[in-house]
Amino acid sequence: MAIIERPAPGTTVPALTPAAPAITPSRTYGALRRPVATTGWKSWLFTVDHKKLGLMYGATALFFFIVGGLEAVLIRLQLAAPDGKVLNADLYNQMFTMHATTMVFLFVMPMAAGFANYFVPLQIGARDVAFPRINAFGFWCLLAGGIVVNLAWFLGGAADGGWFMYAPNSGPVFSPSKGVDFWTLGLQIAGIASLTGAINLIVTVLNMRAPGMTLMKMPVFTWMITVVQFLLLFAVPVITVALFLLTFQRSFGAQFFDVAAGADPLLWQHLFWIFGHPEVYILILPSFGIISEVLPVFSRKPLFGYPFVVFSGAAIGFVGWGVWAHHMFASGLGPVSVAVFSLATMAIAVPTGVKIINWTLTMWGGKLVFTTAMKFAIGLVVLFTIGGLSGVTHSVAPSDTQQTDTYYIVAHFHYVLFGGAIFGIFSGFYYWWPKMFGKMLNERLGSWNFWLMVIGMNMTFGPMHILGLQGQPRRMYVWTEARAGEGFFNLGFWNLIASIGSLILTVGIGLFLINIVVTARSKVRAPLDPWNARSLEWMTSNPPKEHNFDSIPHVHHLDEFFHRKYEEDPTTHTMREVASAEDVLAELERNADKHIHMPSPSYWPLVLACGMPFVALGIIYSIPVAIAGGLIMLYALYGWALEPATAPESDFDAPSSNGHAVGASHG
Amino acid sequence: MTTDTTHNTAPSHGTDHAVEHGMSTRGYINIALILAAITALEVSTYYVDFGPLFLPSLLIMMVVKFFMVVSYFMHLKFDNKLFSWLFYAGLFLAVGVYVAALATFHFFLR
Amino acid sequence: MLRPATVMRLGHHMADTATHEAHVTSTGLSNVKLGMWLFLGSECLLFGGLISTYMLYRGRVSNGPTPEQIYDIPFTSVSSFVLLMSSLTMVLAVAAAHKKDDRGTNLWLTVTALLGATFVGGQVYEFTAFYNEGLGFTTSLFGSSFYTLTGFHGVHVTVGIIMLIALVAINKRSRVPGSKSETVEMIGLYWHFVDIVWIIIFTLVYLIPV
């Protein structure tokens, strides 16, 4: 194994210096030589670096956010006025299905995966994740899955059965286009990303914490991500089963959801929601984690009741398994089932309420700093509470029966998902941008971004409460003036308000994209510790070096970074600064580890994931293509298995004195 | 990682020890013999009428076999408790949600 | 000259398959083993869903044959017994691997693969027989759910056999005795899991009538 000497302390090594590839593998393992590029596109394509993969997850998610957002705008344009002409019924069905699918599976989940990939190893003081190659494989699966799902747009129309794709409506009789096939197979591939990611991150959190970082000293973001990974670990296989059954029915003539053959359509609903309800916590808990980092930093106070926040998060994750049938109250479950699931649903509001109280008390009496990140965090607390309250009204089964399939439901889940999950993600953008890119997002633009999103979001989704209670059904592609009602409750007025709101929202999010460009062009570097932050990820350079920490910090406190900067004054009992962030970092660098070994890049994750879309397309169009895809995957697995986990010394050329490889020609 | 010398959450005996201290070859063969005997008993329910004991006895034998393989062949009994927690979390969650789902179909009343 | 930090990724250290080196982790447990148990926990939910689907649909036979009409209990009992005994040979392979006895390891791995292949062969025979008796994949809900459940299990066994054969091949090339012992143990866990799933299927699917 190549032992790499650290430069002498003092000679700073810039983080991502383009360096000559000093060593080349001279031996071929499996089928291909190891990739060696350290810069350029190849260094991204074959990377196993958790930070690069985190950014790739983020960029992919952001792309799909724009796609899903445009789909939403088209929906609102269609509904802005009676008898809308923007979309026909068929296209409208595809639009709302793909809007939800994209936002849930291709934006919020991968964005959370991106943040988790980037920050969990940093927050626990690790240099990478437990399984770096599997991590890369997960990202490529997500991308492949997203492409397959969206490919249907160009090949005869996208999926059109709604994001929960109820059977038998999603069967071959009622959904004859190939859209649903692309949807099931694409999500199946994306599911592999979630499953491998879950195993990877759980093992990382359990096994790779810095010395002294006990579970109860982990930042709340890492905790919430851990809870989410357990939810994914156990929820993904359930949707996998459901998707397989549907694929088998559509492609191979199985009868699982064929009512004429005696099938029970509720089977799909159960399988989907056993997955689907944990899924909503999979969507929201990462954002809960993000604002649990942001609120203390900008309140200049530790998080109020850390153990309560942690355990309520775990409790949400646990109870979240016992409430799925509240999505099915109108399906005729019977009074006992409805009563049980109704009670469980009311119970789950308790741990959520605990979190809201803890966040509020974190801010109480703090010296609040209203940065954009903080504004989004406060926005989440307020908007999620509104969404949570309308959620409690759903737990009351008789009331829910009235609301089922109306815009009231749409209003509820947009308050918790847009006001909750997405506001948390934006808070994370503004908070962690300097860490990821070494530059601060513009705060002025950020403020506009925030306020336009708050106004736009309330204008779009607020009126939907009224629309829903007035009886406007979800998924209807037109509404007519004749049935719009009178006065204050006129559907026309509130639909128009909602559509105008969606345009304001679009402008708000557009400002964020502009902000990214403005920031990227700016030459101003972010200070080392711009927010006076508290947790370990800030104990690195901006952006972090490839190996994250020069020496692995020994952790003694929750909020370790804060406690290295501040100590309690014994006389006044106030915290006073004893070291700057620069001092703390210099200390780490003085004790820099002599030998740092990082995992090598690899071709195999990408090649393996590349085989999957072929399998999917083969199942849809022709089996030989699927076999070709399977062969690609076998080839990749062969290479992967033979690529030694620990490269032997002989895999590397002896370094020459000028740092370049010698004898790269042999082998 | 070379520098990662951490031992904070109750370090256990490593995996190798657990296996070595697990069982002898003789022990494994004994377990296999018991498993074979139970299987024979299970199959006998197909030929001999067990009356009302039929269903409960089959389910009990299934569970006994299941946990014997998990405990002894998969070493969960001797291994770190964390492995048991992770696996049984999935197992009991699966039993819980699927039994509940089948119950809503009135599966157990038929 | 000293090399810059950016090339360090070429030194392949944080193992992501077999970590036979003594890595010190926070829990003191091996990464792969934790990962494997997490995966098996997840698989419980997968097979749980398939078994539940079968249980719900096993009595819905349309015009096709019923389970009682086609199940051949003596035959399936024998193949179940074969799979059960493959768990014994697998555990003997793991024990041999931990004693760095590569000959014994390879022997028991091969026997395990052969027993597994016997089981899969039996399943192929069974499927063919059922098909000839009128139970196709599309015949009835019973047919669809039966073939899906047992087919998924069969695929798992087949993947296990491929891993066993590949492991024997890799083991033979290895010059360090016992260097693959953790991989043997991991494949062992997977193999036993597939066995316990069959323990459940054998009782719930075959022995308990509708």
Side-chain angles (χ1 to χ4, degrees), chain C residues 106-159:
Chain C
N106 287 341
L107 172 71
W108 288 120
L109 288 177
T110 311
V111 174
T112 309
L114 285 175
L115 289 175
T118 311
F119 174 84
V120 173
Q123 202 167 33
V124 171
Y125 168 78
E126 187 192 42
F127 281 15
T128 319
F130 287 4
Y131 184 77
N132 291 335
E133 286 171 59
L135 185 74
F137 186 58
T138 59
T139 305
S140 62
L141 282 163
F142 162 61
S144 296
S145 52
F146 171 81
Y147 285 117
T148 303
L149 171 59
T150 52
F152 258 89
H153 181 267
V155 168
H156 273 74
V157 179
T158 310
V159 169

Side-chain angles (χ1 to χ4, degrees), chain A residues 378-418:
Chain A
I378 297 171
L380 184 151
V381 175
V382 174
L383 296 171
F384 185 85
T385 304
I386 297 173
L389 289 174
S390 63
V392 174
T393 68
H394 298 323
S395 71
V396 183
S399 148
D400 183 72
T401 315
Q402 174 76 15
Q403 296 150 3
T404 296
D405 276 341
T406 70
Y407 262 84
Y408 189 84
I409 303 283
V410 182
H412 159 70
F413 65 64
H414 279 98
Y415 265 86
V416 288
L417 286 180
F418 202 104

Side-chain angles (χ1 to χ4, degrees), chain A residues 23 143 159 228 231 250 278 308 337 385 492-493 497 514 594 631:
Chain A
I23 1 180
L143 187 61
V228 166
L231 290 176
R250 292 183 58 93
F308 285 94
S337 306
T385 304
F493 174 69
I497 295 288
I514 291 170
K594 288 274 189 308
L631 290 176

